[in-house]
Amino acid sequence: MVAMSKIATGNGHGENSPYFDGWKAYETNPFHPTDRPDGVIQMGLAENQLCFNFIKKWVVKHPEASLCSAQGVNKFKETALFQDYHGMPEFRQSVAKFMGKVRGDRVKFDPDRIVMSGGATGAHEMVAFCLADPGEAFLVPTPYYPGFDRDLRWRTGVELVPVVCESSNDFKITTNALETAYEKAKEANLRVKGLLITNPSNPLGTILDRETLKGIIEFINEKNIHLIGDEIYAATVFMEPEFVSISEILEEVECNRDLIHIVYSLSKDMGFPGFRVGIVYSYNDAVVSCARKMSSFGLVSTQTQHLIASMLSDDDFVDNFIMESKERLFRRHKYFTWSLSQVGIGSLKSNAGLFIWMDLRKLLKEKTFEAEMDLWQVIINEVKLNVSPGSSFHCNEPGWFRVCFANMDDQTMEVALLRIRTFMLEHNKAMVPRKLCSRSSLKLSFSRRQDDFMSQSIMSPHSPLPQSPLVQART
Amino acid sequence: MGLLSRKVTCNSHGQDSSYFLGWLEYEKNPYDEVKNPRGIIQMGLAENQLSFDLLESWLDKNPDVAGFKRDGQSIFKELALFQDYHGFPAFKKALLDFMAEIRGNKVTFDPNRIVLTAGATSANETLMFCLAEQGDAFLLPTPYYPGFDRDLRWRTGVEIVPIKCTSSNRFKITASALEDAYQRAQRKNLRVKGVLVTNPSNPLGTTMTREELDLLVNFITDKEIHLISDEIYSGTVFSSPAFVSIMEVFKDQNLEKTEIWERVHIVYSLSKDLGLPGFRVGAIYSNDPIVVAAATKMSSFGLVSSQTQYLLSAMLSDKKFTKEYIAKNHKRLRKRRSMLVAGLEKAGIDCLESNAGLFCWVDMRHLLSSDTFEAEMELWKRIVYDVKLNISPGSSCHCTEPGWFRVCFANMSEDTLKLAMQRLKSFVGSITGNDRSHQELKNSRRKFSSKWVFRLSFQSFHDREQDER
């Protein structure tokens, strides 16, 4: 039997990662408020579902945006025939304008540098094909989106070398970390072709400050390597500090522009993952030219280009949408993080994204990734929440979890929070007998841990327990 | 620069081919009935523009689809969020029903075996990534669609080895041509992973005969390799013989449950059959579950927009509509082809007998100043720049014989086609009437051409002489 390719039969698709296991658990038993109230709540999918009613109003008011309507059908034929990989001019112009508005109009984007791709997924692969040959490498700060392992490496043969970021300084990207990663790649005989940053960060939900960005620009210029800025969460920055895009920094520092490329998409900012609108924006003419040819493998459906062009050229709608979306994300984020803190769960301080980087290190039986996996199994199977373990994001420290908050309605959010609350209380109750039997050296850490949780939750008016479990245990 | 990948700097994107250069010239000076009546007429683009009225009238009768509604309820959010690479079940079913209908319902398709991709361009590349390693080879009968050079080779590193077909037997695939290609690949130290055929053929416009299909089955069985059948023109078979899909052959030979069956993969698209290239709807249908699994994951790099899946699932589920569309479309294509053939005849030009596709494979060998590809290029440039018709030279399709051109007939109005034929007639008249050396060359060529070609060119020469007089 003739073999298939190694690419097809290998694991490069990355789907054996726990990131996807949680999804599978969700899929076999998905939560539904009435049909499946005990199902798994999906908190592992970074979707933006908060603004659909807002967008739908616009769609209803603008039937001409649909090629199928009586108002839009006069454009049907020419649009259906248009397969030019340059993309519809109106589409490029409206996307360029939108990208500018998302950055507070502090920069302008050139529609002629906009290249389409099959979502950001397709964009990343395409950029990798353009910038690197098989066996070469990109540096990527950890923790990073698990999909990169597939998107950048699978069919391209490119390697990823982690730039290890630490919780001790809130996972900031330091020049030291960059240099260390670069050296590591050299030692492994890997030629580094570029650095990929996600800003705002997935999974952290934080943005890079100006100093860090300048440091990064300096680093890539000095090493003469590319910088790929994945800015797909740019419009989800819901709070100060203000988002600073690579495109802005370029105007402020010396930089070889041929090294700069931005990946964008409407999947997160607008909540349109189904429409597959990915964008590669490069400041390098040769890359634009090559990427454009490659975009043949993943063009945006012109039916969708037409819809998006109509929508994003409506300035009032766009301005209002951006504001409204930020407002809703801010409120959801605030409520969620506050509720978690009420039961003693902290998270990395963040101002962007559709998720929080939850700190459950204290709940680990030991500081290992095995313990993280154990905890994660409990969260999926007992608490019935699909959250994503930090290890699937290549975090160097166990105990962190990415939890999405924008992909559900308020009621589901309340159910999720209730489950977390219940779990935390039960967990603390369960902790007591086990730990008392353990060796003395552990007793110390136990009592310290208890202090972190007990006072808060027992004092809370919502606690179902009449008295401290500590008291119970001693007797 | 050294800073970019080799893919950026190499030529495997194939865009330097005359196939694409002709398009560029067209774009600089495109014909428009009113605004630019002396511009270049595009006859190098295999589009189907003949049946849009049928699509538009369907849209008119189905307003729900326009408003992102299903049974009056808005499903905008559901569509906007749907990114499952398994695709919209209703769409897959409707698409497969359509494919079965095109094959006279002689075969049935399993929805678990289809993978949706962003156009056939993506489907073909994805199959290469699944079936071959860098440096492996696929055999392709010539002439073939120029885009394959990019789609199959560029980012995959897979090689193409031509199966040389000739006009002596109307470009049919023969056992010796297959074997010869295989041997050539071996001599180049290339491991052959499979054969890729386009059926109906682009650029020939012909459907494969049962004999050819049987030959292919035997060949892939014997060599233990894959077979990819690109059937994107299957819905454009407008006259007999009827289309025979590779699926049908396997069914008839009772090979459906065999191991060879798992090595057969079909590529489909709605770009040609429904005339919707802009919507990027392609598909891979494979009988190998591992290929389906791998290709499904790879489709992440080029999924079909959910908005488009929804529109087309509604349209293709309307069986009354699809039946009517297929029948009317065939009729119009048949008529259009006849117009082109008649116009060519008036210019003393013959073409390969064909029953499908959106183009004819036109024989202009008698117009060449010499039996060379240089002469073909010379003639092509004159046709593009002087006659102002963008047609595709056979060399861009890797034809082994100079003088053949692909001329499209379904991407323009009837009037434009008539004008194109008039221009061609005048051009032919001018070069054969005045050019003595050209006539002398033709006289000498007569001695070497094969019988049927001789008869044809002699005939047309005669006709022209009479016209001139």
Side-chain angles (χ1 to χ4, degrees):
Chain A
M1 165 72 178
V2 66
M4 286 170 50
S5 67
K6 294 199 219 27
I7 288 176
T9 49
N11 275 336
H13 50 72
E15 265 178 48
N16 299 332
S17 150
Y19 181 73
F20 297 103
D21 280 348
W23 289 19
K24 290 173 199 158
Y26 163 76
E27 258 145 46
T28 45
N29 184 20
F31 170 80
H32 184 274
T34 47
D35 300 344
R36 273 183 194 261
D38 293 327
V40 175
I41 296 178
Q42 175 65 287
M43 304 190 87
L45 191 51
E47 272 176 356
N48 185 354
Q49 291 195 23
L50 305 184
C51 283
F52 276 112
N53 59 342
F54 190 83
I55 294 171
K56 269 196 289 199
K57 281 203 190 97
W58 186 92
V59 169
V60 167
K61 271 214 294 221
H62 293 84
E64 74 284 1
S66 165
L67 285 178
C68 311
S69 66
Q71 297 84 344
V73 79
N74 58 320
K75 291 253 164 82
F76 185 82
K77 176 174 166 177
E78 84 193 55
T79 309
L81 286 171
F82 189 87
Q83 57 174 327
D84 181 350
Y85 60 29
H86 287 86
M88 289 164 62
E90 328 70 283
F91 171 75
R92 281 184 286 118
Q93 278 149 25
S94 62
V95 169
K97 192 157 67 148
F98 183 72
M99 287 171 71
K101 279 184 185 280
V102 165
R103 290 152 184 75
D105 281 323
R106 294 181 294 274
V107 273
K108 260 188 126 68
F109 288 91
D110 177 1
D112 290 336
R113 288 193 176 282
I114 296 231
V115 177
M116 297 179 287
S117 59
T121 301
H124 278 293
E125 191 195 45
M126 196 157 82
V127 171
F129 270 126
C130 286
L131 303 184
D133 288 312
E136 296 181 333
F138 288 130
L139 306 181
V140 193
T142 65
Y144 64 78
Y145 163 59
F148 283 158
D149 289 325
R150 170 198 62 193
D151 302 349
L152 296 163
R153 297 185 323 162
W154 190 20
R155 308 192 302 183
T156 60
V158 170
E159 302 279 354
L160 293 183
V161 175
V163 176
V164 181
C165 300
E166 315 261 358
S167 61
S168 53
N169 69 342
D170 290 339
F171 299 96
K172 290 215 186 308
I173 303 172
T174 61
T175 306
N176 198 28
L178 291 168
E179 290 287 353
T180 307
Y182 190 84
E183 287 311 307
K184 264 218 158 99
K186 247 170 95 176
E187 278 157 34
N189 268 323
L190 291 170
R191 183 174 168 205
V192 175
K193 285 314 264 304
L195 167 66
L196 165 65
I197 59 172
T198 306
N199 179 32
S201 163
N202 173 14
L204 303 176
T206 53
I207 56 170
L208 297 179
D209 58 50
R210 249 192 174 78
E211 294 323 300
T212 306
L213 280 166
K214 286 185 178 167
I216 285 171
I217 298 275
E218 220 176 280
F219 174 77
I220 60 128
N221 274 278
E222 191 238 315
K223 302 281 190 255
N224 201 24
I225 60 176
H226 294 279
L227 178 61
I228 305 158
D230 180 335
E231 301 191 345
I232 69 173
Y233 291 98
T236 69
V237 180
F238 49 76
M239 200 160 85
E240 298 274 286
E242 197 175 58
F243 177 58
V244 182
S245 163
I246 290 172
S247 51
E248 289 173 62
I249 297 288
L250 279 190
E251 308 298 328
E252 295 170 20
V253 295
E254 283 282 316
C255 180
N256 174 4
R257 286 180 176 230
D258 278 344
L259 299 174
I260 310 294
H261 324 275
I262 293 178
V263 165
Y264 190 58
S265 157
L266 296 182
S267 301
K268 310 295 177 183
D269 283 356
M270 294 216 69
F272 292 164
F275 295 165
R276 312 317 300 149
V277 182
I279 303 289
V280 171
Y281 188 94
S282 175
Y283 290 86
N284 180 323
D285 293 345
V287 172
V288 170
S289 172
C290 181
R292 196 167 273 139
K293 296 178 181 72
M294 283 191 185
S295 68
S296 301
F297 299 110
L299 296 173
V300 177
S301 168
T302 48
Q303 183 191 12
T304 300
Q305 287 188 50
H306 176 85
L307 169 69
I308 298 300
S310 307
M311 202 181 272
L312 299 186
S313 50
D314 183 340
D315 288 332
D316 282 335
F317 167 76
V318 169
D319 293 336
N320 287 327
F321 170 82
I322 292 175
M323 237 171 30
E324 188 64 32
S325 178
K326 279 189 214 230
E327 177 63 36
R328 295 183 189 192
L329 285 168
F330 170 74
R331 277 192 260 127
R332 186 53 85 79
H333 171 268
K334 187 168 173 197
Y335 179 63
F336 189 57
T337 48
W338 173 82
S339 306
L340 290 179
S341 68
Q342 293 295 98
V343 290
I345 296 178
S347 57
L348 186 69
K349 187 149 167 253
S350 63
N351 67 324
L354 309 172
F355 34 70
I356 55 160
W357 191 232
M358 191 167 67
D359 182 358
L360 296 183
R361 288 175 293 175
K362 299 178 284 200
L363 298 188
L364 294 183
K365 293 202 190 84
E366 47 190 30
K367 271 193 185 159
T368 62
F369 286 109
E370 288 75 27
E372 180 183 279
M373 279 295 110
D374 287 342
L375 176 57
W376 179 63
Q377 290 290 345
V378 167
I379 297 175
I380 297 231
N381 297 316
E382 293 174 25
V383 193
K384 302 252 180 62
L385 302 177
N386 177 33
V387 299
S388 312
S391 51
S392 66
F393 294 86
H394 302 280
C395 187
N396 72 326
E397 191 185 352
W400 295 90
F401 291 79
R402 189 192 76 174
V403 184
C404 300
F405 59 71
N407 64 314
M408 63 195 63
D409 58 31
D410 291 330
Q411 288 87 342
T412 310
M413 170 107 295
E414 289 298 343
V415 175
L417 286 170
L418 178 61
R419 290 182 185 180
I420 293 172
R421 226 175 275 135
T422 312
F423 167 72
M424 287 307 289
L425 291 166
E426 284 178 9
H427 174 270
N428 296 331
K429 213 166 61 166
M431 282 281 286
V432 177
R434 240 181 289 144
K435 284 300 174 180
L436 272 181
C437 302
S438 61
R439 289 187 302 218
S440 51
S441 56
L442 285 175
K443 235 195 208 165
L444 212 56
S445 53
F446 158 65
S447 50
R448 205 169 44 224
R449 220 181 294 164
Q450 286 301 325
D451 284 342
D452 290 329
F453 292 114
M454 296 324 296
S455 45
Q456 279 244 264
S457 45
I458 298 305
M459 294 309 174
S460 150
H462 305 290
S463 165
L465 298 179
Q467 62 191 44
S468 164
L470 258 176
V471 171
Q472 261 184 331
R474 276 193 208 118
T475 51
Chain B
M1 195 181 202
L3 266 187
L4 302 176
S5 70
R6 285 191 286 270
K7 287 178 184 60
V8 172
T9 45
C10 73
N11 273 338
S12 301
H13 52 70
Q15 242 168 257
D16 300 333
S17 152
S18 46
Y19 182 73
F20 296 105
L21 291 178
W23 290 14
L24 286 172
E25 285 312 311
Y26 162 76
E27 256 142 51
K28 287 185 208 157
N29 183 18
Y31 169 79
D32 181 285
E33 202 177 350
V34 172
K35 293 182 233 167
N36 190 16
R38 298 209 351 214
I40 300 178
I41 296 176
Q42 175 66 291
M43 304 190 86
L45 191 51
E47 272 176 1
N48 182 357
Q49 292 194 23
L50 307 185
S51 299
F52 272 101
D53 57 314
L54 301 175
L55 299 173
E56 283 156 9
S57 101
W58 184 91
L59 290 173
D60 187 50
K61 296 195 205 117
N62 292 270
D64 246 17
V65 173
F68 296 95
K69 292 201 182 101
R70 186 200 285 134
D71 302 326
Q73 295 298 322
S74 171
I75 53 164
F76 182 84
K77 175 175 162 179
E78 185 187 321
L79 287 179
L81 290 172
F82 187 85
Q83 57 172 329
D84 181 357
Y85 58 27
H86 290 101
F88 227 50
F91 175 54
K92 286 194 296 182
K93 176 167 191 309
L95 181 62
L96 289 173
D97 284 348
F98 185 64
M99 287 168 71
E101 194 177 347
I102 285 172
R103 288 153 183 73
N105 286 312
K106 292 187 208 133
V107 288
T108 47
F109 292 96
D110 174 356
N112 293 317
R113 296 184 184 184
I114 188 169
V115 179
L116 301 174
T117 61
T121 300
S122 178
N124 281 312
E125 188 195 45
T126 296
L127 274 176
M128 288 300 107
F129 274 123
C130 287
L131 305 178
E133 307 291 351
Q134 224 177 43
D136 286 344
F138 260 78
L139 310 180
L140 266 67
T142 63
Y144 64 75
Y145 162 58
F148 282 150
D149 290 325
R150 171 198 61 191
D151 301 349
L152 304 176
R153 299 184 324 154
W154 190 17
R155 306 191 306 180
T156 62
V158 171
E159 301 280 353
I160 294 176
V161 174
I163 299 166
K164 296 178 183 177
C165 301
T166 65
S167 60
S168 60
N169 72 337
R170 297 183 184 196
F171 299 96
K172 298 253 167 277
I173 299 174
T174 62
S176 62
L178 283 167
E179 190 60 44
D180 170 64
Y182 191 85
Q183 296 304 328
R184 257 182 292 116
Q186 303 263 291
R187 283 197 296 275
K188 284 181 167 174
N189 272 325
L190 295 169
R191 185 170 65 154
V192 175
K193 287 315 273 293
V195 179
L196 186 151
V197 297
T198 308
N199 179 27
S201 162
N202 173 13
L204 303 175
T206 52
T207 48
M208 285 178 72
T209 60
R210 262 194 200 267
E211 290 71 39
E212 286 176 285
L213 289 163
D214 288 339
L215 262 180
L216 280 173
V217 174
N218 292 340
F219 185 72
I220 64 155
T221 307
D222 177 46
K223 304 289 188 225
E224 289 182 64
I225 57 179
H226 295 278
L227 175 62
I228 299 172
S229 183
D230 181 333
E231 303 189 346
I232 69 172
Y233 290 97
S234 49
T236 68
V237 181
F238 48 76
S239 61
S240 61
F243 176 60
V244 180
S245 164
I246 187 68
M247 298 273 288
E248 217 185 303
V249 169
F250 267 77
K251 194 171 173 207
D252 293 347
Q253 289 188 29
N254 272 323
L255 292 169
E256 269 169 318
K257 299 288 187 275
T258 64
E259 178 252 328
I260 316 156
W261 182 226
E262 287 187 0
R263 286 189 258 120
V264 176
H265 323 279
I266 292 177
V267 167
Y268 191 56
S269 159
L270 295 179
S271 301
K272 311 296 176 181
D273 286 355
L274 269 192
L276 305 173
F279 289 1
R280 314 316 299 145
V281 182
I284 294 170
Y285 185 88
S286 173
N287 296 304
D288 182 340
I290 305 178
V291 172
V292 174
T296 301
K297 295 177 180 72
M298 287 188 190
S299 67
S300 300
F301 300 111
L303 296 172
V304 179
S305 170
S306 58
Q307 184 191 10
T308 300
Q309 290 190 52
Y310 178 58
L311 163 64
L312 293 170
S313 73
M315 195 182 269
L316 297 181
S317 309
D318 185 344
K319 301 285 163 58
K320 188 158 170 275
F321 167 75
T322 55
K323 194 164 171 205
E324 185 197 342
Y325 181 91
I326 290 173
K328 285 198 170 145
N329 188 37
H330 284 175
K331 200 164 161 206
R332 295 172 185 189
L333 287 171
R334 191 165 51 236
K335 180 173 174 214
R336 211 30 113 74
R337 181 193 179 270
S338 307
M339 265 184 75
L340 175 68
V341 171
L344 289 170
E345 259 173 26
K346 287 207 182 85
I349 298 172
D350 195 42
C351 57
L352 188 71
E353 213 179 288
S354 61
N355 62 327
L358 310 172
F359 32 73
C360 279
W361 189 234
V362 176
D363 184 358
M364 297 202 205
R365 288 176 294 174
H366 59 294
L367 299 178
L368 295 184
S369 57
S370 63
D371 191 15
T372 62
F373 286 110
E374 287 75 27
E376 180 183 281
M377 275 296 106
E378 220 180 272
L379 176 59
W380 176 68
K381 282 187 186 138
R382 290 188 71 178
I383 297 180
V384 172
Y385 295 110
D386 301 343
V387 192
K388 305 246 178 51
L389 302 178
N390 178 34
I391 62 177
S392 311
S395 51
S396 68
C397 301
H398 300 277
C399 187
T400 50
E401 300 166 37
W404 293 88
F405 291 78
R406 189 191 78 170
V407 180
C408 300
F409 56 69
N411 64 311
M412 75 239 352
S413 70
E414 272 192 21
D415 287 340
T416 307
L417 182 59
K418 285 187 184 141
L419 174 62
M421 294 298 98
Q422 271 164 31
R423 286 185 186 178
L424 195 56
K425 182 163 180 250
S426 312
F427 168 70
V428 172
S430 69
I431 57 169
T432 53
N434 302 330
D435 192 338
R436 250 194 99 206
S437 58
H438 187 93
Q439 284 196 8
E440 278 167 359
L441 174 71
K442 274 182 30 232
N443 288 341
S444 65
R445 278 196 67 209
R446 249 183 258 167
K447 297 187 185 127
F448 301 104
S449 301
S450 65
K451 231 174 166 194
W452 71 270
V453 171
F454 158 74
R455 225 178 299 147
L456 230 43
S457 54
F458 180 79
Q459 176 99 35
S460 50
F461 173 72
H462 248 294
D463 290 342
R464 255 193 312 281
E465 279 195 317
Q466 281 176 359
D467 282 346
E468 252 81 68
R469 287 195 203 114

